[in-house]
Amino acid sequence: MKTAVKTTLAVVASAAAIAGVASIPAIVSAWGDSNGGRESHSIQEINENNPFGNTPVFNTITVADTDYEWHKNYFGTEIPKTTITHEKNFVGARKDNGTNDAQTNVWDGNQIEAEDGQTYVIRLYAHNNNPNGEQAVSENTKVSFVGLNDKSTLQEVDVVDETGKATGEKVMKQQIEVNGKITSSNANPQRYWDYVNFQSDVPFHLEYVYGSALLENNGFASVNNIYNVPGGGNGPVKLSDDIVDNADGTLIGFYGLDGRVPGCYKYAEYVTIRVKVVYDHDFLVEKKVRMNGTKDWSKTVEAKVGDKVDFQIQYKNTSDQRQADVIVKDTLPSNLRYVPGTIKIKNGSHPNGDTVDGDALVTGGLKVGSYGKNSNVYLMFTAEVVDDNLACGSNTLVNWAQAMVGDSVGQDYARVHLDKYCETTPEEPEVPETPTSLPTTGPEAVAGGIIATGSIVTAAGYYIASRRQLR
């Protein structure tokens, strides 16, 4: 079964000849505007009576059953199968599967099951319903998406069966509500919004794919330029990243990014962005070190060249959900050399601490299995202190470990401190500070000593950088 909080209704895409973003949402969503509510209008009503005068009005059409016969008699053609039958459901989403099926893309206008690491396309549809075309142009028309930077919160939702009928059951889901907004200075009302819910059993956040905002229409942002608009025919037009969580939004338009949208189907606008789901897995990563042959673990040991040290890494699932395909990686800094054949694993499947074949832990990363609530794994190995490029004076070798669950990365470090005597004694070095952020690649000279931090998995760098951008 699937979950939903809105009414089920068949909805399809607009009648405009759009290649790429027109599509078929399947469920009606709630909607809003600055007046707290607005009427719906049928195609027949708008064409025969035009209740709007020359005032632009967006996304009010609900195709009535009688519209199909009326349209055939009035226009001599069937209503296109890709017509959106409920325009108040103007925000939908679908998986970004690497293909674009144009008008047959299938969009969900209600609940999106958010899968870890999956990228989704979110679409906003803006149709000025006034039939007077160029005589009823919407001015200063802007669009925005709000809520992408929110953390998911636990919400109660209704459970429905495969037909969309409520079963009477309710479940708790982590949710992020992404609102799509349309504003216009001369429309009535001036603001419109609709939303789509991303939901999961696991806490998560959404990462906006920078540079992904696109506008497509039958005008200057068209593929085929069937209306011979100057500059058209080059495909979708890139929009500003101000479209995300910006109170003002970004301008759209039919002839250019001037905010002007005439009335009628042929001028409809389609806006898409891409977002990536990242589960906020809760887990612990702990790194410790000891001198080889001793028993007590600590964060720092004093050593000398030729000594051997043991490192221990613990991963522990601190969430209520099972975490699958956990990967642990250790990247040794310069002047610490892995002793082959010393990696051991201790968990429920290996209670005695079995030796692991190969060196994946200290190269590409070691897959250590799946773990339920409060279960953990320990990994241990030995390294030798060497002098590849030690500086004269005090040296602190910082060894980082990482655990990765999906796109979530946790890390911790342990340190080996040693002194190198040189004939020319350097000035007393400053004590290096404990690093508080993601380490850089390669050795860094710090006040006469060396903090050799090593290189960190590229995915972690991207992950942390992207989180900073979103704040």
Side-chain angles (χ1 to χ4, degrees):
M1 293 188 293
K2 59 181 178 179
T3 58
V5 292
K6 306 174 189 173
T7 306
T8 299
L9 183 69
V11 181
V12 294
S14 98
I18 300 295
V21 289
S23 63
I24 307 173
I27 300 174
V28 160
S29 73
W31 50 271
D33 56 56
S34 57
N35 295 328
R38 55 191 169 97
E39 295 180 351
S40 296
H41 300 277
S42 68
I43 296 176
Q44 179 180 358
E45 178 186 2
I46 290 174
N47 280 274
E48 290 187 344
N49 302 319
N50 185 14
F52 311 131
N54 280 334
T55 301
V57 177
F58 281 90
N59 296 6
T60 70
I61 292 177
T62 299
V63 178
D65 291 341
T66 56
D67 277 337
Y68 293 93
E69 188 64 26
W70 176 87
H71 191 281
K72 186 175 182 180
N73 293 333
Y74 192 87
F75 291 105
T77 60
E78 303 282 353
I79 293 178
K81 292 181 179 180
T82 54
T83 299
I84 288 180
T85 60
H86 197 308
E87 288 188 344
K88 292 176 183 178
N89 178 27
F90 62 85
V91 176
R94 64 176 175 84
K95 284 185 179 181
D96 183 8
N97 56 12
T99 63
N100 193 332
D101 298 322
Q103 289 184 327
T104 60
N105 283 329
V106 177
W107 302 85
D108 191 338
N110 186 25
Q111 302 291 109
I112 306 298
E113 289 297 328
E115 300 177 14
D116 192 22
Q118 176 67 50
T119 301
Y120 295 84
V121 184
I122 304 176
R123 188 207 64 178
L124 179 150
Y125 165 72
H127 174 205
N128 179 353
N129 296 152
N130 197 301
N132 287 347
E134 300 284 356
Q135 305 303 313
V137 177
S138 170
E139 302 287 350
N140 197 36
T141 309
K142 295 182 178 181
V143 296
S144 61
F145 291 93
V146 180
L148 270 73
N149 287 348
D150 295 344
K151 297 281 286 185
S152 62
T153 56
L154 200 59
Q155 302 287 336
E156 186 178 62
V157 299
D158 294 321
V159 177
V160 299
D161 60 25
E162 293 302 323
T163 68
K165 183 179 179 180
T167 65
E169 295 181 67
K170 293 183 181 294
V171 294
M172 301 301 292
K173 289 277 189 177
Q174 292 285 334
Q175 286 195 337
I176 294 177
E177 181 178 293
V178 178
N179 279 271
K181 296 190 176 184
I182 306 169
T183 61
S184 167
S185 59
N186 67 330
N188 184 24
Q190 293 185 347
R191 296 189 297 130
Y192 308 78
W193 64 87
D194 180 37
Y195 64 87
V196 64
N197 276 325
F198 285 80
Q199 66 180 25
S200 170
D201 294 325
V202 181
F204 68 99
H205 67 274
L206 299 174
E207 293 186 351
Y208 169 61
V209 179
Y210 284 86
S212 68
L214 297 175
L215 169 68
E216 191 170 0
N217 56 30
N218 284 322
F220 88 111
S222 66
V223 174
N224 299 320
N225 200 16
I226 59 176
Y227 296 109
N228 297 316
V229 174
N234 295 315
V237 171
K238 193 171 183 178
L239 296 176
S240 169
D241 290 325
D242 288 341
I243 198 171
V244 174
D245 283 327
N246 186 306
D248 293 330
T250 189
L251 288 167
I252 59 173
F254 187 75
Y255 297 104
L257 298 180
D258 54 9
R260 293 172 54 82
V261 180
C264 217
Y265 270 117
K266 80 174 190 179
Y267 301 105
E269 310 282 302
Y270 300 82
V271 178
T272 56
I273 62 171
R274 283 171 167 76
V275 297
K276 183 180 180 181
V277 173
V278 178
Y279 281 6
D280 295 322
H281 295 288
D282 291 327
F283 57 88
L284 166 77
V285 181
E286 185 180 64
K287 180 72 173 288
K288 292 183 177 180
V289 64
R290 70 184 180 190
M291 297 301 296
N292 183 246
T294 64
K295 293 183 178 180
D296 296 331
W297 297 98
S298 63
K299 293 296 292 183
T300 305
V301 295
E302 297 288 335
K304 61 183 182 297
V305 173
D307 284 343
K308 292 182 179 179
V309 294
D310 299 329
F311 288 103
Q312 175 182 271
I313 307 162
Q314 181 192 186
Y315 152 86
K316 182 177 181 180
N317 181 355
T318 57
S319 75
D320 292 329
Q321 289 83 31
R322 187 169 186 81
Q323 296 177 358
D325 301 323
V326 178
I327 297 174
V328 180
K329 176 181 173 64
D330 188 288
T331 304
L332 286 166
S334 297
N335 303 302
L336 281 176
R337 185 177 300 164
Y338 167 64
V339 177
T342 59
I343 299 173
K344 292 185 177 182
I345 184 171
K346 186 175 183 179
N347 58 13
S349 300
H350 305 277
N352 298 320
D354 296 331
T355 300
V356 175
D357 292 334
D359 58 1
L361 176 65
V362 293
T363 54
L366 179 65
K367 295 180 180 180
V368 294
S370 301
Y371 296 83
K373 180 180 179 180
N374 292 327
S375 60
N376 63 350
V377 60
Y378 286 94
L379 294 159
M380 293 150 282
F381 69 93
T382 301
E384 182 181 359
V385 181
V386 296
D387 185 358
D388 287 336
N389 55 3
L390 289 171
C392 295
S394 178
N395 292 267
T396 300
L397 313 180
V398 183
N399 180 210
W400 287 83
Q402 293 181 318
M404 288 155 277
V405 182
D407 280 2
S408 297
V409 179
Q411 58 186 14
D412 192 21
Y413 64 89
R415 298 170 295 191
V416 176
H417 179 265
L418 68 157
D419 294 315
K420 179 179 179 178
Y421 175 79
C422 299
E423 297 243 346
T424 303
T425 304
E427 297 179 4
E428 185 68 20
E430 298 178 5
V431 177
E433 297 180 354
T434 298
T436 59
S437 61
L438 188 71
T440 56
T441 300
E444 290 184 6
V446 179
I450 289 181
I451 297 182
T453 57
S455 61
I456 289 298
V457 177
T458 303
Y462 287 152
Y463 170 78
I464 292 177
S466 64
R467 290 304 302 278
R468 288 174 177 163
Q469 287 174 317
L470 283 172
R471 290 184 182 133

